[in-house]
Amino acid sequence: MIAIYKRELKAYFKTPIGYIFLSAFIFFASLLFVLINLQGNSTDLSPLFSNVSLIFVFVIPVLTMRLFSEERKSKTDQLLLTAPVRITDIVFGKYLAAATVLLVGVLVTMLFVPIMELYGTPLIPQTVIGYLGLFLMGLFFVAIGMFMSSITESQVIAAVSTLGIIFFLWVFGGLNIRFVEVLTGPVSFLGTALDWLMNFISIQNRMYDFTLGTLNVVPVFYFVSLAGLFVFLTIRVIERRRWK
């Protein structure tokens, strides 16, 4: 796994993808920091976390689109699949490489904290929890992107489909719809179930506690478990391809 991790990490910076992801994320995060905090004379980073998490929706598909699609299209994946390496090592090596690039981007934006100390006293515990939520959400998005990359040989399709899924999860919970008010009578139970589902899968709802500086086990479990699910699905896809 270490060898695959190092190879994938180097690949991010031998191609433009790593630089595109980091430059786009850091640029837009910095722009939001200037507009929200510096111009607003605010040391509260909570609004920043909410907006920066939206940037992930658009930039993480770029980070993950090549993980498996590129090798599958060039047929070099056959060399990897026939090598004496466990599928879990392949998948986790690639996943950790993408997670490392993601972490670099998040760590760079943490420079906002000492800048804020020049203007006031930011709440450090709240800020740390906010960054934790941001990183966990990013890991979830990376897992989705890796899975989509494993089922297609087109990097464009992988990126667009990842964007579609993440954007749906982001927007769905923010829709001001109460199904329990629409589905009444004999199907009222369906409205209740849909309202619960909307609240459960909403990424905005899960990020809300983190932005407030509240460390709640439910959103942590949500991001970690769903990231694990998509990593597991990726392993299954690659295992199936190996034994074809």
Side-chain angles (χ1 to χ4, degrees):
M1 185 179 71
I2 300 299
I4 294 172
Y5 167 76
K6 290 181 178 179
R7 190 195 71 164
E8 291 297 319
L9 192 58
K10 289 179 181 178
Y12 272 117
F13 298 102
K14 286 183 178 179
T15 62
I17 291 179
Y19 299 102
I20 291 173
F21 168 79
L22 289 174
S23 58
F25 173 65
I26 294 170
F27 171 77
F28 286 109
S30 301
L31 180 62
L32 289 172
F33 175 66
V34 171
L35 295 175
I36 296 173
N37 293 97
L38 297 188
Q39 290 191 356
N41 294 319
S42 173
T43 59
D44 183 10
L45 292 177
S46 298
L48 179 69
F49 291 132
S50 301
N51 288 277
V52 167
S53 59
L54 180 59
I55 298 175
F56 275 166
V57 175
F58 297 97
V59 297
I60 284 184
V62 176
L63 179 67
T64 59
M65 65 182 185
R66 58 161 294 278
L67 283 174
F68 286 99
S69 298
E70 182 181 34
E71 292 180 343
R72 187 176 179 184
K73 184 176 182 179
S74 62
K75 306 302 181 184
T76 56
D77 63 326
Q78 298 301 318
L79 297 175
L80 191 61
L81 294 177
T82 55
V85 182
R86 294 184 303 173
I87 297 297
T88 53
D89 290 341
I90 296 173
V91 173
F92 275 105
K94 288 176 174 287
Y95 181 70
L96 290 177
T100 300
V101 179
L102 170 70
L103 180 60
V104 170
V106 172
L107 290 176
V108 170
T109 62
M110 290 185 74
L111 293 174
F112 297 160
V113 177
I115 294 176
M116 291 306 304
E117 291 180 344
L118 299 176
Y119 297 88
T121 306
L123 300 175
I124 300 301
Q126 177 180 332
T127 301
V128 171
I129 292 174
Y131 273 112
L132 174 63
L134 196 66
F135 182 59
L136 289 177
M137 186 192 67
L139 291 179
F140 173 38
F141 288 173
V142 168
I144 294 175
M146 183 175 67
F147 171 70
M148 299 310 300
S149 180
S150 71
I151 62 177
T152 178
E153 65 179 26
S154 170
Q155 295 188 46
V156 175
I157 293 176
V160 171
S161 57
T162 301
L163 174 61
I165 293 173
I166 295 175
F167 188 72
F168 171 78
L169 292 174
W170 179 267
V171 171
F172 186 67
L175 297 176
N176 190 21
I177 299 176
R178 286 185 56 81
F179 290 102
V180 71
E181 297 176 357
V182 178
L183 301 174
T184 58
V187 293
S188 60
F189 72 94
L190 184 58
T192 303
L194 288 174
D195 284 339
W196 177 87
L197 179 64
M198 176 179 287
N199 179 69
F200 177 77
I201 70 173
S202 171
I203 293 175
Q204 295 186 54
N205 289 346
R206 300 307 166 194
M207 273 299 298
Y208 184 70
D209 286 343
F210 287 111
T211 58
L212 293 180
T214 303
L215 188 58
N216 193 330
V217 68
V218 175
V220 172
F221 177 78
Y222 172 85
F223 287 129
V224 172
S225 60
L226 288 182
L229 173 63
F230 278 96
V231 170
F232 171 76
L233 292 175
T234 304
I235 292 173
R236 298 296 295 170
V237 168
I238 304 304
E239 283 180 342
R240 184 179 180 184
R241 191 176 304 154
R242 167 176 273 187
W243 298 114
K244 274 189 175 182

